[in-house]
Amino acid sequence: MDTMMLYNSMTHEKEPFKTHEPGKVSFYTCGPTVYHFAHIGNLRSYIMEDVLEKALRWEGYDVLRIMNITDVGHLSSDADTGEDKMLKGAKRENKTVMEVAKFYTDAFFSDFGKLNNRYPDVVQPATGMIEEYITVITKLLDTGYAYQAGGNIYFDTSKLKKYYVFNDHDVEALVQGARDDVEIDPNKKNKNDFVLWFTKSKFEDQALKWDSPWGVGYPGWHIECSCISMKYAGEYLDLHAGGIDNAFPHHTNEIAQSEAYLGHEWCKQWFHVHHLNTNDGKMSKSKGEFLTVSLLEEKGYDPMVYRLFCLQSHYRKALTFSWENLDNAAAAYDKLVRRIAALDPAGEVDAEAVKTYNAQFQAALDNDLNTSLAVTALYDVLKADISDATKLSLIDSFERVLSLELMDHAKALKEKETAPAEGGEEIEALIAARAKAKAEKNWAEADRIRDELKAQGIELIDTKEGTTWKRV
Ligand code: AMP
Ligand code: ZN
C-alpha cells in the first residue's frame, strides 16, 4: 500500500497517513445538527470527507466510517451558551424535538445521497447513547477530570497538560468559536471548561431529559462524539474529520475528554475542511443566505455540478460560492459528459497506459487529497493518445473516487441523441397503419408510408418479429 500524505491539523504538517491496525481505517465524522436543512457549506465538508474515504478504499484500505447525528445538547454557541438548537427548531416548526430530528435527518441523507456521498457504515444519533455518556462522565468525575457545579457536570480543562491542541492552526476559527460566547457561566472554574451533563439550566422546557446519577438532565454536545467513536472504533481512532469550525472548541474538547478517559492518545490524524463562504462570510445555518441542494436543483443545476465545483478546489482553502462560479462548473461538467459520450467502447484496453494514468491519479490523491489535480488527471486521460476503450476504463477507475456520475450522464446523453427525441408515437402510429395496409394487401399505401417516413429520415427495418425503425 502506498502512503498517502495528509495534512494533520494536530501537528500542522503533511504526514504519511498511518493506521493503528495495518490496512484498516476507523474514520469518524461529525454529523449534522438536525434542527434545519444542511446548507451546501456543510455539504462541502461531507463531499471532501467522502472523497477521502473513497480514496482510502481505492488504495485498498478497509474503512469503517462512523457518523453521529446531533439530536440533543448542541447550543447555539459551541461554548455551551445560548439557545438549544433542537428546541429552537421544534418551536419554529411547532413540532416535537424528535419529529424535527427525524425530518432533518432524512432530509440530510437525501441531500448527502444526491451528491453521491456513500452512506456511512455506522450512523448513530446522540440520543441513543445515554448509558455510555454516564459511564464516561462517572469515570471523569472519579478521576478528578470533572466536577459538579450549580447542578451541571463540567470538564476541568486545568487538569490537562495541554488543552489547546490545535491552537495556532487557524486564528479565524478560534475567534469564531469564541465570538458568540457572550454569556459567562459562573459555574465554570476555568474559561474553557465545558459541560458534560446539564441538569440545571435555563431550559426548563427542554423536551428530552434522562435520569442520571446527577439528576434528570441531558448531555453536553461534545461528549457524544467521544462516546460514539469509542463504541464503534474502540480506544484508537485512526482518522477524525469535520469542518474547520469544529476544531475549536468541539474537537479540542473531544480530545480532552477522550484522552482523560482512556489515559492514552486517542486519535492521531485530524482532517479539517475549510469553509464555503459567500461574499459576506461563512455560510451558516443561523445566518442570511442559506443555499441548499434543493435550491440548486430548482434553479436547474444537477447536484453533480456542485460536487465538481467542490472537487476543483483544495479542501484546505476557503471556497467562495457564487452563481458565476457554479455556472463555470456546470459548463465544465457538460463538456466532460459530451467528451465521454463521444468515446467508442469497442477496442483494446492498453494495460500499460491504465497503469500510468492510475498512478498519476493516485499521486494527486496522495498529495494531501489534491482533488483538483485528480480532476486534471481525468482531463489528461481524455486528451491522451490512447484508445477510447482505455480512456473509458480509466474514467471508470477514477469515478470510484470522484463519483461524478460521468458514465451514467454520458450514457443518458448518447441515448438521447440516438433515440428519437420526439415524434416517437407518430412514427409508431404510421408503422401500425402500414402493417394494416400490408395485411389488406394495399401495397401502394404501405410503400407510401415507408417513403413518407424516409423523407423524415426514418428508416424502417422489417423483421419476422415486426417492424422497427432508426433515424438515419
Ligand atoms: P452542523 O450541522 O452545524 O453541526 O455542521 C455540520 C458540518 O458542517 C460540520 O463538520 C461543520 O464544521 C461543517 N460546516 C459548517 N459550516 C460550514 C461551511 N460554511 N463550510 C464548510 N463546512 C461547514
Ligand atoms: Zn463531533
Side-chain angles (χ1 to χ4, degrees):
M1 210 169 286
D2 286 330
T3 312
M4 181 184 280
M5 297 297 286
L6 261 189
Y7 181 83
N8 187 355
S9 321
M10 181 78 95
T11 59
H12 316 292
E13 274 176 58
K14 279 194 212 174
E15 289 172 353
F17 176 61
K18 287 199 201 79
T19 61
H20 191 69
E21 237 184 281
K24 287 196 169 174
V25 184
S26 51
F27 180 178
Y28 186 87
T29 305
C30 290
T33 308
V34 283
Y35 72 111
H36 217 318
F37 290 108
H39 56 64
I40 58 172
N42 301 125
L43 289 158
R44 177 193 190 195
S45 288
Y46 294 111
I47 289 171
M48 301 320 283
E49 290 156 359
D50 179 70
V51 177
L52 175 57
E53 175 188 336
K54 286 175 180 161
L56 291 167
R57 289 185 194 279
W58 195 85
E59 299 194 11
Y61 283 102
D62 180 3
V63 183
L64 177 72
R65 179 89 182 276
I66 308 160
M67 188 187 285
N68 66 306
I69 298 292
T70 300
D71 53 0
V72 69
H74 196 175
L75 307 191
S76 60
S77 157
D78 288 353
D80 301 329
T81 56
E83 267 186 286
D84 179 299
K85 290 190 178 183
M86 292 306 301
L87 210 56
K88 189 170 149 186
K91 276 189 193 148
R92 186 185 61 228
E93 299 185 12
N94 223 349
K95 287 186 185 153
T96 66
V97 167
M98 286 331 275
E99 280 166 351
V100 169
K102 166 141 193 9
F103 178 83
Y104 288 112
T105 303
D106 292 348
F108 172 76
F109 281 116
S110 161
D111 289 345
F112 188 86
K114 278 181 186 168
L115 290 162
N116 269 350
N117 295 309
R118 180 181 176 277
Y119 190 81
D121 301 293
V122 175
V123 172
Q124 174 67 61
T127 44
M129 296 281 297
I130 304 299
E131 250 175 72
E132 285 85 349
Y133 308 144
I134 293 174
T135 305
V136 171
I137 297 169
T138 303
K139 184 168 171 191
L140 293 175
L141 279 163
D142 289 349
T143 50
Y145 281 105
Y147 59 92
Q148 194 157 7
N152 297 332
I153 311 294
Y154 294 86
F155 188 92
D156 186 346
T157 53
S158 70
K159 292 280 156 46
L160 301 172
K161 278 195 215 96
K162 190 178 177 197
Y163 170 67
Y164 286 111
V165 283
F166 302 117
N167 61 345
D168 53 336
H169 80 293
D170 187 322
V171 178
E172 187 229 14
L174 279 173
V175 173
Q176 198 116 31
R179 189 177 297 147
D180 27 9
D181 187 16
V182 279
E183 299 162 65
I184 301 204
D185 180 346
N187 296 324
K188 289 187 184 179
K189 289 190 194 164
N190 312 288
K191 179 171 133 258
N192 285 308
D193 290 357
F194 54 92
V195 179
L196 296 166
W197 187 266
F198 290 97
T199 58
K200 292 231 171 29
S201 74
K202 53 193 163 82
F203 309 120
E204 290 310 328
D205 53 350
Q206 170 71 22
L208 299 173
K209 292 178 200 174
W210 294 268
D211 264 336
S212 84
W214 321 289
V216 175
Y218 57 98
W221 174 35
H222 316 294
I223 192 73
E224 66 179 84
C225 290
S226 293
C227 289
I228 293 170
S229 158
M230 286 192 258
K231 173 168 179 175
Y232 296 102
E235 291 193 12
Y236 297 93
L237 180 67
D238 294 311
L239 176 58
H240 196 309
I244 188 73
D245 60 323
N246 280 167
F248 184 84
H250 183 52
H251 292 161
T252 305
N253 292 348
E254 280 185 39
I255 294 168
Q257 60 203 2
S258 299
E259 297 193 351
Y261 174 77
L262 291 168
H264 59 71
E265 196 184 9
W266 169 51
C267 178
K268 285 199 159 84
Q269 179 73 46
W270 290 81
F271 179 87
H272 287 123
V273 181
H274 285 243
H275 284 148
L276 181 78
N277 295 324
T278 55
N279 285 334
D280 26 282
K282 178 198 160 199
M283 194 173 287
S284 85
K285 287 191 197 181
S286 52
K287 192 186 79 180
E289 202 180 9
F290 192 104
L291 301 177
T292 58
V293 172
S294 314
L295 186 78
L296 298 190
E297 285 179 315
E298 274 165 36
K299 288 187 181 263
Y301 295 95
D302 191 291
M304 288 303 98
V305 167
Y306 182 63
R307 191 172 169 104
L308 179 63
F309 171 75
C310 290
L311 297 191
Q312 282 170 330
S313 16
H314 196 244
Y315 75 93
R316 269 193 313 115
K317 286 203 184 101
L319 177 60
T320 304
F321 179 85
S322 72
W323 293 106
E324 197 189 339
N325 293 345
L326 195 66
D327 284 337
N328 290 337
Y333 187 79
D334 202 48
K335 217 164 153 187
L336 272 173
V337 168
R338 281 181 192 286
R339 287 173 73 177
I340 293 167
L343 298 175
D344 177 3
E348 298 267 307
V349 173
D350 174 350
E352 254 334 282
V354 166
K355 233 170 143 179
T356 308
Y357 285 97
N358 268 332
Q360 179 188 341
F361 182 71
Q362 183 171 340
L365 300 174
D366 284 351
N367 180 6
D368 192 23
L369 203 72
N370 196 323
T371 48
S372 105
L373 281 182
V375 172
T376 305
L378 181 65
Y379 281 108
D380 287 351
V381 163
L382 284 168
K383 276 200 309 239
D385 190 14
I386 51 179
S387 70
D388 283 4
T390 310
K391 291 181 185 181
L392 286 166
S393 153
L394 279 159
I395 295 162
D396 228 4
S397 157
F398 297 179
E399 274 286 80
R400 281 165 45 212
V401 178
L402 304 177
S403 297
L404 287 164
E405 276 178 27
L406 290 168
M407 293 295 217
D408 288 348
H409 276 68
K411 192 165 160 251
L413 180 67
K414 248 185 177 160
E415 275 163 14
K416 207 168 121 196
E417 277 174 355
T418 46
E422 57 224 305
E425 272 166 48
E426 274 166 51
I427 297 164
E428 292 301 335
L430 283 168
I431 290 174
R434 179 168 164 266
K436 189 164 168 270
K438 274 166 76 178
E440 291 164 3
K441 302 202 172 3
N442 187 347
W443 308 116
E445 173 66 357
D447 285 345
R448 190 195 62 73
I449 294 172
R450 173 190 285 278
D451 292 344
E452 184 187 324
L453 283 168
K454 198 171 176 185
Q456 292 173 29
I458 309 293
E459 188 176 303
L460 296 184
I461 306 135
D462 290 315
T463 69
K464 266 190 266 164
E465 283 76 39
T467 305
T468 60
W469 56 276
K470 66 174 185 194
R471 250 182 229 286
V472 288

